Amino acid sequence: MPNQALAEQGTVMNPLIPVVGKIIKIVEETPDVKTFHVTTENGKPFTPLPGQLAMVSMLPIGEAMFSITSQGENHLEFAIKKVGMLTEALHEAAVGQQIGIRGPYGNGFPIEICKGKDLLFIGGGIGLAPVRSLINYCIANRQDFGKLHVIYGARSPQDLCFKDDLFENWPKVMDMQVDVTVDKGDENWSGNVGFVPAFLEQINPSPEGKVAITCGPPIMIKFVLQSLAKMGYTPEQIITTLEMRMKCGIGKCGRCNIGSCYVCLDGPVFTLAQLNQMPNEY
């Protein structure tokens, strides 16, 4: 189903007007990342495409854009890293806290391009949050996609997000492989130790019939793209998201533009072939 049709199917609210949401569950992912499950009195405020974002607000602190890491029948999920005033306030919130929410924003991952292909997901740190929305979509629509392979890394075992998915849920999915690495292990870590790009080259997944989706720290993405090129992936086979550049979400503030492209209107999801046509400002 085309992305536009998916959006029309699920989006029912004006993306400029916030609705009152309520936190119904909080999962402590790492010492500085929590996942918030949010609903409204009418259930899920909208049905986002994988890779789309939403504005989340707390009065009187402020508002910011966050990726929607997954969704259930009646709720949305936001994995939020504590980095500033708003996120610190959210991390202090308890179940039952009311927040503002509006959206969705951005184009989302190109579902039609991914259908029928094997998918390689490469994530680092909190960068797995937007990619997880597509992973869970593929799992929910398993018959539409080929093999799924997740390669993920974090600074330490304590910094791994979504541990239940990485070690319990996803490895049980048919034709799905999960490989995890950390920059530095500890006395309890028996998995791989090393950076994501080197781990990727060590595993060396074939590019044949495959689409690679990556998100993480900019330095990780830089070297992952180099590794994928060495392994034979073409720019058309590589998808990433520039969601960190998303600000107002509607193309008005002018803070997300790359040349004539507005990330919030034309993205944040792009193929590397598309990015290669833009000024090298991203």
Side-chain angles (χ1 to χ4, degrees):
M1 183 180 294
N3 282 0
Q4 182 62 34
L6 282 168
E8 291 174 351
Q9 178 187 64
T11 302
V12 296
M13 66 178 284
N14 186 331
L16 299 181
I17 301 175
V19 297
V20 177
K22 183 172 72 173
I23 297 172
I24 57 173
K25 182 179 179 180
I26 301 173
V27 179
E28 292 201 22
E29 305 285 357
T30 77
D32 59 0
V33 176
K34 291 183 178 180
T35 297
F36 299 87
H37 295 219
V38 180
T39 190
T40 74
E41 63 177 5
N42 296 316
K44 188 163 50 178
F46 50 82
T47 301
L49 302 170
Q52 286 191 305
L53 301 92
M55 282 283 195
V56 174
S57 57
M58 279 188 76
L59 295 175
I61 307 299
E63 183 180 57
M65 189 80 75
F66 297 101
S67 64
I68 302 164
T69 187
S70 193
Q71 57 184 305
E73 184 176 351
N74 295 307
H75 73 275
L76 302 179
E77 299 179 19
F78 300 90
I80 296 177
K81 186 180 181 70
K82 186 165 59 174
V83 294
M85 290 180 59
L86 175 61
T87 55
E88 288 177 0
L90 286 167
H91 273 243
E92 293 297 321
V95 169
Q97 171 73 48
Q98 289 186 332
I99 61 175
I101 179 170
R102 60 187 176 98
Y105 300 103
N107 58 353
F109 290 105
I111 300 296
E112 295 302 318
I113 291 177
C114 296
K115 277 186 177 178
K117 298 185 176 67
D118 295 341
L119 302 181
L120 172 63
F121 304 94
I122 308 160
I126 190 63
L128 186 58
V131 176
R132 178 174 178 254
S133 66
L134 180 57
I135 295 172
N136 284 346
Y137 179 91
C138 294
I139 292 172
N141 298 272
R142 194 66 194 89
Q143 71 283 356
D144 292 337
F145 303 92
K147 295 178 180 177
L148 308 178
H149 187 179
V150 177
I151 297 177
Y152 173 65
R155 291 175 300 178
S156 72
Q158 292 73 33
D159 292 308
L160 293 169
C161 295
F162 314 114
K163 295 182 184 67
D164 286 348
D165 286 337
L166 292 171
F167 301 114
E168 296 293 333
N169 301 330
W170 292 345
K172 297 176 182 175
V173 175
M174 180 181 64
D175 288 331
M176 184 167 185
Q177 179 179 346
V178 180
D179 292 297
V180 181
T181 186
V182 295
D183 297 352
K184 183 178 181 181
D186 60 20
E187 64 276 11
N188 297 317
W189 178 254
S190 59
N192 190 79
V193 175
F195 297 128
V196 169
F199 191 43
L200 169 65
E201 291 191 37
Q202 176 185 325
I203 298 170
N204 194 25
S206 167
E208 185 175 352
K210 195 166 290 174
V211 172
I213 303 101
T214 184
C215 186
I219 189 68
M220 187 211 82
I221 293 179
K222 174 183 177 180
F223 287 104
V224 161
L225 295 180
Q226 292 178 6
S227 295
L228 289 171
K230 282 196 292 185
M231 294 158 58
Y233 287 77
T234 67
E236 289 77 14
Q237 288 178 277
I238 302 171
I239 297 170
T240 190
T241 172
L242 303 181
E243 63 167 47
M244 291 182 65
R245 296 183 70 100
M246 296 276 286
K247 300 299 179 186
C248 73
I250 56 174
K252 298 299 183 184
C253 73
R255 297 173 64 187
C256 71
N257 67 296
I258 302 173
S260 60
C261 171
Y262 282 79
V263 172
C264 64
L265 297 179
D266 303 311
V269 176
F270 298 95
T271 65
L272 181 58
Q274 291 172 314
L275 292 178
N276 286 343
Q277 300 300 314
M278 300 180 191
N280 188 21
E281 301 172 359
Y282 55 87

